[in-house]
Amino acid sequence: MAQFRLQGSKVLAVDMTGDAVKAKNGSMVAYDGQMSFKKMTGGGEGLRGMVTRRLTGEQMAVMEVKGHGTCYFADRASEINLVRLSGEKLYVEAGNLLCTDAALRTGTTFTGLRGASQGNGLFTTTVEGSGQAAIISHGPAVALRVTKQSPLQVDPGAYVAHTGDLRQQFQSGVNFRTFIGEGSGEAFQIRFEGEGLVYVQPSERETFGGEV
């Protein structure tokens, strides 16, 4: 299996000995050894995956990288976090997924109104299986623990990904800026309940339906 490691916080190094990884198209910045690159339409899931992504708006331009040596990946100087999966599922915004082990399965799942609040469709990308994934964020992401005793409210513009047995509840009419009198228009929050981790970034993307 390919070995993921960080070179600083903004470059991912993947050591391969005949292994393969799936990465965001165009994210390779350097490599040594012998590597082959193959573009995979729709995340490498075949016709069904391609159609699903087009319908849901979760399109991804993905390439398969295979070979012997080390390949380096980065995306617009974004910060990189490594997530190790052991059979569980990672939910991540398509634009925040940089690289995964080729053995990990990717797909889409319905997320309800949270996706609509961000203006990027009602679905999000899933990564499932055993292996590593690299996610990117604008600024260093933090992993916040959610427990049954401690639910978490998240600004949709700061949400990156989550893992674990979590339930999402979409809430409108309030946000963090409302409390300090800087909100305008309709605002949104996501409430996470259950057991798991939520990755948030310190820089907010634009959201649909008002500043969040």
Side-chain angles (χ1 to χ4, degrees):
M1 184 175 291
Q3 299 299 312
F4 287 35
R5 53 190 173 87
L6 293 179
Q7 297 284 99
S9 62
K10 299 180 180 180
V11 177
L12 171 68
V14 181
D15 301 317
M16 289 179 273
T17 55
D19 316 284
V21 297
K22 291 183 289 187
K24 179 180 287 191
N25 197 40
S27 62
M28 187 277 294
V29 295
Y31 70 89
D32 60 49
Q34 298 294 321
M35 297 287 167
S36 64
F37 301 86
K38 178 183 177 182
K39 187 173 182 179
M40 304 171 67
T41 304
E45 300 166 312
L47 181 61
R48 181 177 179 182
M50 179 176 67
V51 171
T52 299
R53 291 189 182 279
R54 285 181 175 173
L55 289 175
T56 62
E58 277 287 298
Q59 296 185 56
M60 293 176 63
V62 178
M63 62 181 177
E64 181 187 70
V65 183
K66 185 176 182 180
H68 295 262
T70 302
C71 197
Y72 300 87
F73 302 93
D75 185 58
R76 294 173 292 182
S78 298
E79 299 284 336
I80 302 172
N81 279 64
L82 298 182
V83 180
R84 181 174 292 278
L85 300 176
S86 299
E88 67 268 39
K89 186 178 291 186
L90 170 71
Y91 299 82
V92 57
E93 296 300 313
N96 294 102
L97 183 60
L98 177 65
C99 186
T100 71
D101 280 316
L104 291 174
R105 301 180 299 278
T106 56
T108 56
T109 188
F110 182 72
T111 57
L113 292 175
R114 182 191 61 75
S117 73
Q118 296 179 1
N120 62 356
L122 296 175
F123 290 74
T124 196
T125 296
T126 59
V127 182
E128 186 175 10
S130 296
Q132 284 189 288
I135 60 177
I136 56 177
S137 58
H138 297 292
V142 294
L144 303 177
R145 173 71 62 181
V146 180
T147 67
K148 293 179 180 178
Q149 294 76 28
S150 302
L152 181 70
Q153 277 71 228
V154 175
D155 186 319
Y159 170 82
V160 174
H162 74 269
T163 60
D165 183 17
L166 292 176
R167 299 178 302 279
Q168 300 177 60
Q169 181 180 353
F170 178 79
Q171 298 176 336
S172 63
V174 65
N175 73 357
F176 302 120
R177 292 183 183 176
T178 301
F179 300 131
I180 57 175
E182 294 185 359
S184 62
E186 189 175 4
F188 308 95
Q189 281 186 5
I190 317 164
R191 179 181 174 89
F192 288 92
E193 298 178 340
E195 299 280 348
L197 291 174
V198 178
Y199 294 84
V200 298
Q201 62 186 8
S203 175
E204 301 171 68
R205 65 176 69 84
E206 290 185 3
T207 57
F208 176 79
E211 196 175 48
V212 180

